Amino acid sequence: MAKPDAKADLTPAGQAVQDKPGHSGDWNSAPALVQVKNLKVYFPVYGGLFRRVRGYMRAVDDVGFSVPEGSTVGLVGESGSGKTTTGRSMVRLVQPTAGEILYRGRDVVGLSKREFFPYRKRMQMIFQDPFNSLNPRMSVEKILTEPLGIHFPRMSADERHMRCARLMEMVGLKPDQLRRYPHEFSGGQRQRIGIARALAVEPEFIICDEPVSALDVSVQATIINLLQDLQEELGLTYLFIAHDLAVVEHISDYVLVMHQGRIVEQASSEVIYSAPQHPYTRQLLEAVPRL
Amino acid sequence: MIKQEGTDNSPESGSDKLLDVRNLCIDFQVHDEVHRAVDKVSFSIAPGEVLAVVGESGSGKSVTGLSLTGLLPPPPGCRVGGEVLYQGRNLLECSPRELRQYRGKQIAYIFQEPGTALNPVFTIGHQIAEAIRLHRPGVKDVKAEIVKALDMVKIHEPERRFEDYPHQLSGGMQQRVMIAMALACNPRLLVADEPTTALDVTIQAQIINLLRELRERLGMSIMLITHNFGIVSGFADRVAVMRQGRILEQKDTSGILKSPEHPYTRALIGCIPVLGRKLHRLPTIESETRQEQEHGQT
Amino acid sequence: MLKHLFKEITRRPMGVACLAILAALYLGTVFSQFLAPYLPTDQDLSSAYPPPTRIVLEDWRPHVQVYEQVDPAAARYEPGEGETAPIKFFAAGDEYRFWGFIPAQMRLFQVEEPHRIYLLGSDGTGRDVFSRLLYGAQVSLSIGFIGICITMTLGFLVGGIAGYFGGKTDFLAMRLVEFIIAVPSLYLLIALRGALAERFEPEQMYLVIVIILSLIGWAGAARIIRGMALSLRQRPFVLAAEVMGQSSLRILFRHFLPNLASYLLVAATLSIPAYILAEAALSFLGLGIQEPGTSWGLMLQQAQELKVFTLNLWWLLTPGAAIFITVITFNMLGDVLRDIVDPRQQMVKR
């Protein structure tokens, strides 16, 4: 699988010039924070009387890409394309069958649970479904202090409370809402709480798994803006997973198109939009509604 | 972009309205508080016309759709006022039995989550057959009708497919089956409540194309309820923008997209990411946080 | 959550009624030593099967009617004309140890010896049925509580762990569950009870019964909880906890337990009657609580005699009524709880 470095031709003439401050220039000028090489995730398919393994479902099949520090890499594909599995395998929610995931050059796939623990602080995840991603039985404060208790065990109760209040402000919520429970918030607000939870441990890299797909378009825009503001403020690196190419193209510096477990095309978002190579990418582009 | 076949769909020609909603008010009673979900909403749909009702969640758009055929909970939990004139007959005054004649036969529905709207223990053929038998008892060859219905929504190999159970189909396929069920009785009006929201963008486009084709072929009217202006263009003839239970603006689609009058409409259109338009920030609805606050409390 | 549940229960007349009955029953159990005029073992061999004592007012003070035995064989008693004894409230009686350790004499009401007060009559050896009912409730009502605590704890741990870890753990746990469910439980109970009887004092038998009942009962709960845990496991908030590096045990207790709590509560409320009935059945068969202890089942066993029916000694069947009321109340409360918990789950979903 071609490494992104191989496709360095990124600013074709006549294209819209990237005007995101802080990310001007080549997407790959920054060193890679995360590199995925030949990642394979196969799920056994059981069958027969004794539940023998009959075959394998190749959810992710030989996928490679790299995520430069401080950038946003978009991962698009339809449901079942393996994009969520790719994201999940990076934070060990799914065990890869083969391949390497290099975090700052160190392969984290083979690490033991204890060795991997420090990486849990560096990599975080935001989930799609704002109705299910927060424990309905926990108050917002409890939701936000949970990661603090794990990664900052020496923090005092006061410090934790202060940090929670600060997190709420960062995601545009009021600190006095900390005592409320998830069902008292709207979908967009819950997604903000989910973002705050991910930010609590001061991560470097956040995997956003369809963070806006379940939201109204109007709320979608505010969440996307929030993610971009946070990236500028905190220097975060994102892997942004979505099925909507328009959203991905908007937020990402670099886009990976995934289809049936493989990456069929990867290029900067301008190139993807102006000169799509793979027929599937073209299909995705055509599906985006035009006003 | 829309091929207007035959009939003149201009909304002004008052006499040939299929559906005419006047001063519709819907109140919900939660504990001891009365919450007005829909406030004096008026709109009409001509035969063969596609009206899009666009609004954010909580704007009252779905409730409006459900109220047409009495699908809301009965009083005192919910009260509906005003008039819903379907071919001149006020549906709000109909008895439940009369309403059932309209529901499905005249006015059909498709909803957001096809997965939950289909019964998981019956084959899709069985479920379509049920709809046909219920509304068109005269039909002899039900199987042929099912095949015809599945064929209409472009499900390949309908003879084999109708033995499938809902879980064997993808989300897009399930929504096609829902459409087939809704259309099995040749309704005059299809109320599509967020038909594509739960689907991938590619599938979304396919479903909208399918609805557009079916509209042209069958000449039915569609009331499309959505939060996304993106799927409105190229499909709807007219758009009504709803917010907090009121219709802010009602216009033909190209007009509203080109020159939206209300700032809210402008914001709703602006917040959609557009390919190739690289903006540093997406425009948002300024009062969004305040509004969300309100939703959060209801 | 408990606060919310309580508020919802009190909003329903049926819920309030059930709570009131249960509160009365359990208060009676807790203060049985104070409420009961006699010890469960106090005998009065001079009279067998006296009927419930009539209470009369004299000078606006309650007195008990004094009876004379007319026919010992037929257990017939005649009230003695004008013979009464005053009821003394908060009076000292025989010494007892309150809750097993506080020495006390005070009782709610007493009658001067040699007269006796039988609110619900007495049995063949002159033991007060009312007192024995109160003491018996200590066994019959607590057995369900303790049993269900063990059952639900085991069920949650095994089911939760199986559902959370999946794979081989799940496989092993579920085979164990199937094994236990397949064991013929009544036979096991009788056999274990028979084998253990010699090694335990009658008082300890109570614990043995609870443990046997709950060791059999947890399997069904574990299977249901495992199913719920399997679906919880895929919920994003559990995934989020994993991504942040939360330990498995904490995920089990902080994320699974609160979300299963409503189910556990409903299931527990609905299964308590099973324990009460099982104790009653065992004691009735002579395999449960033994003399000189007392329980409702044991009391019913003693009411088996033909005499009870031929002489219409209805008061000896009051333990049956007590069991009936308790079981019905628990079942109705369970239904109320389920009504509260279920629609809420639907609301949360969307």
Side-chain angles (χ1 to χ4, degrees):
Chain A
M1 182 84 6
K3 273 192 227 164
D5 313 77
K7 292 191 181 177
D9 178 25
L10 285 167
T11 40
Q15 276 320 300
V17 180
Q18 203 170 358
D19 60 358
K20 277 189 194 174
H23 302 301
S24 51
D26 279 357
W27 57 272
N28 61 348
S29 59
L33 180 70
V34 184
Q35 259 185 303
V36 172
K37 288 181 181 169
N38 307 98
L39 182 72
K40 290 176 189 165
V41 183
Y42 293 174
F43 293 118
V45 179
Y46 296 103
L49 193 57
F50 299 102
R51 287 178 42 87
R52 292 241 176 83
V53 178
R54 261 204 316 209
Y56 290 94
M57 209 269 285
R58 301 178 174 209
V60 178
D61 200 7
D62 203 11
V63 158
F65 59 91
S66 86
V67 185
E69 187 159 8
S71 72
T72 302
V73 171
L75 180 55
V76 263
E78 58 195 0
S79 35
S81 63
K83 58 188 194 305
T84 295
T85 310
T86 306
R88 288 189 176 181
S89 65
M90 294 169 82
V91 285
R92 279 215 181 173
L93 285 175
V94 176
Q95 196 61 41
T97 312
E100 285 173 54
I101 296 168
L102 304 173
Y103 192 93
R104 289 198 187 280
R106 176 151 187 222
D107 186 11
V108 295
V109 170
L111 297 184
S112 70
K113 202 176 171 184
R114 178 173 292 188
E115 286 169 323
F116 189 71
F117 185 74
Y119 292 94
R120 295 254 180 238
K121 187 180 169 303
R122 295 170 160 202
M123 291 193 251
Q124 275 298 309
M125 193 155 184
I126 300 169
F127 295 87
Q128 169 179 8
D129 183 355
F131 292 89
N132 270 319
S133 59
L134 308 175
N135 187 338
R137 303 275 185 223
M138 280 162 96
S139 68
V140 174
E141 175 141 23
K142 270 196 180 160
I143 290 171
L144 296 183
T145 39
E146 188 182 11
L148 295 178
I150 300 167
H151 292 282
F152 303 96
R154 292 208 194 124
M155 215 181 238
S156 72
D158 269 358
E159 281 173 311
R160 275 181 206 174
H161 180 78
M162 294 290 285
R163 178 124 179 82
C164 287
R166 170 97 188 82
L167 284 167
M168 289 293 269
E169 277 168 8
M170 276 165 84
V171 297
L173 293 172
K174 294 199 200 77
D176 58 9
Q177 292 171 325
L178 273 173
R179 282 202 196 153
R180 295 205 191 171
Y181 282 80
H183 68 265
E184 296 173 70
F185 292 92
S186 68
Q189 287 175 316
R190 288 188 214 194
Q191 201 54 289
R192 286 168 190 265
I193 298 168
I195 293 172
R197 175 179 56 193
L199 292 177
V201 297
E202 299 168 356
E204 300 169 313
F205 178 50
I206 299 184
I207 296 165
C208 310
D209 188 3
E210 304 246 22
V212 296
S213 313
L215 303 173
D216 272 11
V217 239
S218 51
V219 185
Q220 232 174 47
T222 64
I223 296 292
I224 290 172
N225 285 342
L226 173 68
L227 285 172
Q228 286 182 320
D229 292 345
L230 290 169
Q231 180 169 47
E232 274 170 42
E233 197 182 324
L234 306 168
L236 297 167
T237 307
Y238 291 141
L239 177 68
F240 192 94
I241 302 171
H243 64 82
D244 186 348
L245 191 55
V247 172
V248 169
E249 195 244 15
H250 172 81
I251 196 172
S252 311
D253 306 301
Y254 195 68
V255 178
L256 316 166
V257 181
M258 213 168 164
H259 187 52
Q260 295 180 348
R262 289 168 178 274
I263 289 184
V264 294
E265 184 161 0
Q266 46 183 319
S268 76
S269 55
E270 289 80 12
V271 174
I272 285 275
Y273 166 67
S274 59
Q277 299 299 312
H278 198 273
Y280 180 70
T281 315
R282 269 181 235 131
Q283 206 185 322
L284 275 179
L285 277 168
E286 275 159 26
V288 173
R290 268 150 237 267
L291 289 174
Chain B
M1 211 187 266
I2 308 150
K3 279 173 262 165
Q4 300 252 351
E5 284 186 335
T7 48
D8 174 36
N9 289 337
S10 68
E12 282 76 27
S13 47
S15 56
D16 59 311
K17 282 171 188 165
L18 179 71
L19 181 79
D20 193 5
V21 175
R22 291 178 191 168
N23 286 325
L24 182 74
C25 290
I26 302 171
D27 290 320
F28 283 100
Q29 191 164 355
V30 183
H31 298 308
D32 295 327
E33 272 174 61
V34 177
H35 172 74
R36 176 147 284 199
V38 173
D39 191 13
K40 287 188 192 140
V41 157
S42 302
F43 61 88
S44 65
I45 302 176
E49 189 186 31
V50 177
L51 173 76
V53 179
V54 185
E56 294 178 274
S57 43
S59 61
K61 56 191 194 307
S62 292
V63 199
T64 304
L66 291 173
S67 71
L68 300 181
T69 57
L71 288 172
L72 291 174
C78 172
R79 280 174 215 284
V80 183
E83 284 178 298
V84 175
L85 297 171
Y86 180 80
Q87 295 181 317
R89 178 87 202 269
N90 189 353
L91 295 184
L92 294 184
E93 285 166 0
C94 285
S95 67
R97 173 184 273 195
E98 283 174 296
L99 269 181
R100 240 172 282 145
Q101 295 299 310
Y102 284 98
R103 210 182 288 151
K105 238 182 209 172
Q106 301 280 337
I107 304 179
Y109 285 86
I110 51 175
F111 295 102
Q112 176 174 351
E113 306 235 345
T116 52
L118 290 167
N119 188 336
V121 301
F122 293 114
T123 62
I124 56 168
H126 180 98
Q127 295 184 53
I128 298 173
E130 203 173 35
I132 294 174
R133 285 199 196 99
L134 188 66
H135 295 290
R136 287 156 63 195
V139 173
K140 289 264 159 53
D141 193 354
V142 179
K143 193 173 169 184
E145 284 294 316
I146 300 170
V147 171
K148 217 169 87 187
L150 289 176
D151 200 43
M152 196 161 62
V153 295
K154 301 196 171 156
I155 289 180
H156 300 296
E157 304 180 67
E159 292 87 355
R160 267 180 49 199
R161 280 290 167 198
F162 80 78
E163 304 260 334
D164 281 355
Y165 286 90
H167 71 267
Q168 292 172 293
L169 303 174
S170 66
M173 280 298 179
Q174 288 175 347
Q175 193 58 286
R176 283 168 196 265
V177 172
M178 286 309 297
I179 296 173
M181 273 170 76
L183 299 188
C185 309
N186 295 320
R188 305 280 312 271
L189 173 65
L190 178 71
V191 181
D193 188 354
E194 304 265 12
T196 61
T197 305
L199 305 173
D200 276 3
V201 190
T202 36
I203 314 296
Q204 200 167 306
Q206 289 169 11
I207 295 286
I208 291 293
N209 279 335
L210 175 70
L211 284 175
R212 185 189 302 149
E213 269 183 49
L214 289 172
R215 195 275 297 246
E216 278 165 23
R217 186 134 57 101
L218 306 172
M220 62 178 172
S221 306
I222 296 178
M223 177 175 168
L224 172 74
I225 298 172
T226 179
H227 67 87
N228 190 347
F229 248 108
I231 64 168
V232 168
S233 66
F235 179 42
D237 301 316
R238 261 181 331 122
V239 181
V241 179
M242 256 187 111
R243 184 194 197 182
Q244 290 172 359
R246 295 207 179 91
I247 290 188
L248 294 182
E249 194 171 355
Q250 212 175 151
K251 239 186 189 179
D252 60 296
T253 308
S254 56
I256 213 162
L257 288 174
K258 271 188 211 124
S259 54
E261 265 164 39
H262 203 282
Y264 179 73
T265 314
R266 227 171 290 147
L268 265 188
I269 297 171
C271 66
I272 301 168
V274 178
L275 278 174
R277 181 186 71 173
K278 272 271 177 181
L279 297 172
H280 174 45
R281 288 178 68 89
L282 284 169
T284 53
I285 294 159
E286 309 89 59
S287 53
E288 182 250 325
T289 349
R290 183 184 60 81
Q291 241 206 316
E292 273 204 81
Q293 215 89 32
E294 285 164 12
H295 296 167
Q297 277 158 8
T298 52
Chain C
M1 193 200 84
L2 278 178
K3 224 174 167 183
H4 165 85
L5 265 183
F6 188 74
K7 218 171 115 193
E8 285 292 317
I9 293 174
T10 49
R11 278 180 50 183
R12 289 151 220 256
M14 180 89 94
V16 174
C18 290
L19 277 190
I21 294 173
L22 288 179
L25 281 170
Y26 277 90
L27 277 177
T29 312
V30 170
F31 295 105
S32 56
Q33 291 157 310
F34 171 69
L35 294 173
Y38 305 108
L39 291 174
T41 46
D42 274 358
Q43 297 184 337
D44 177 15
L45 294 171
S46 63
S47 53
Y49 303 118
T53 315
R54 190 183 302 160
I55 293 175
V56 289
L57 279 182
E58 259 175 42
D59 307 332
W60 298 104
R61 288 168 158 255
H63 286 62
V64 290
Q65 181 72 51
V66 175
Y67 291 84
E68 270 169 45
Q69 198 161 17
V70 182
D71 177 1
R76 274 182 56 205
Y77 291 81
E78 288 286 330
E81 204 60 41
E83 282 181 73
T84 57
I87 300 177
K88 293 183 288 181
F89 288 97
F90 300 104
D94 291 335
E95 194 159 303
Y96 63 91
R97 283 176 179 271
F98 191 60
W99 291 349
F101 48 91
I102 309 165
Q105 280 191 308
M106 176 87 90
R107 286 196 164 85
L108 182 63
F109 57 89
Q110 286 280 292
V111 178
E112 194 99 22
E113 294 286 344
H115 305 296
R116 284 172 82 90
I117 178 168
Y118 298 127
L119 284 182
L120 289 173
S122 101
D123 64 8
T125 51
R127 294 183 297 187
D128 178 28
V129 171
F130 179 68
S131 300
R132 283 174 65 76
L133 261 184
L134 284 169
Y135 278 92
Q138 288 182 337
V139 169
S140 298
L141 291 182
S142 65
I143 212 159
F145 249 64
I146 298 172
I148 216 69
C149 286
I150 302 176
T151 304
M152 286 297 153
T153 312
L154 271 175
F156 169 71
L157 282 177
V158 176
I161 287 172
Y164 178 69
F165 289 102
K168 277 194 185 118
T169 321
D170 184 27
F171 182 84
L172 288 176
M174 285 307 106
R175 296 299 86 77
L176 178 66
V177 161
E178 278 156 20
F179 175 77
I180 286 180
I181 287 177
V183 167
S185 54
L186 187 66
Y187 172 77
L188 183 73
L189 256 175
I190 293 171
L192 275 176
R193 170 65 180 75
L196 295 172
E198 291 167 15
R199 299 190 194 169
F200 289 96
E201 300 290 311
E203 303 92 67
Q204 291 173 319
M205 217 46 230
Y206 165 76
L207 271 179
V208 174
I209 291 169
V210 175
I211 291 168
I212 297 176
L213 282 176
S214 17
L215 285 183
I216 294 171
W218 68 268
R223 194 145 69 170
I224 293 167
I225 290 163
R226 175 241 181 197
M228 299 173 93
L230 273 180
S231 77
L232 266 180
R233 207 203 165 322
Q234 288 307 315
R235 296 271 290 274
F237 66 81
V238 175
L239 297 180
E242 257 176 67
V243 169
M244 68 179 72
Q246 188 62 283
S247 73
S248 311
L249 205 67
R250 288 240 174 99
I251 289 180
L252 216 54
F253 281 97
R254 291 185 71 161
H255 294 284
F256 279 34
L257 186 57
N259 283 287
L260 295 172
S262 44
Y263 163 76
L264 290 174
L265 201 66
V266 173
T269 313
L270 288 174
S271 353
I272 285 180
Y275 283 82
I276 296 175
L277 290 173
E279 182 276 323
L282 282 176
S283 300
F284 188 80
L285 290 173
L287 297 167
I289 306 298
Q290 303 275 308
E291 295 282 5
T294 173
S295 84
W296 292 351
L298 186 63
M299 288 170 80
L300 273 183
Q301 187 213 0
Q302 288 156 353
Q304 276 186 87
E305 289 173 65
L306 193 61
K307 240 187 215 168
V308 174
F309 294 95
T310 52
L311 299 178
N312 190 22
L313 305 173
W314 56 268
W315 53 89
L316 290 180
L317 297 174
T318 45
I323 293 175
F324 180 78
I325 290 170
T326 315
V327 169
I328 282 268
T329 312
F330 268 115
N331 273 323
M332 290 205 297
L333 183 68
D335 279 346
V336 171
L337 280 175
R338 191 164 45 193
D339 285 351
I340 296 169
V341 168
D342 267 351
R344 208 179 122 75
Q345 281 176 340
Q346 285 161 9
M347 292 261 294
V348 168
K349 248 183 154 179
R350 183 128 283 238

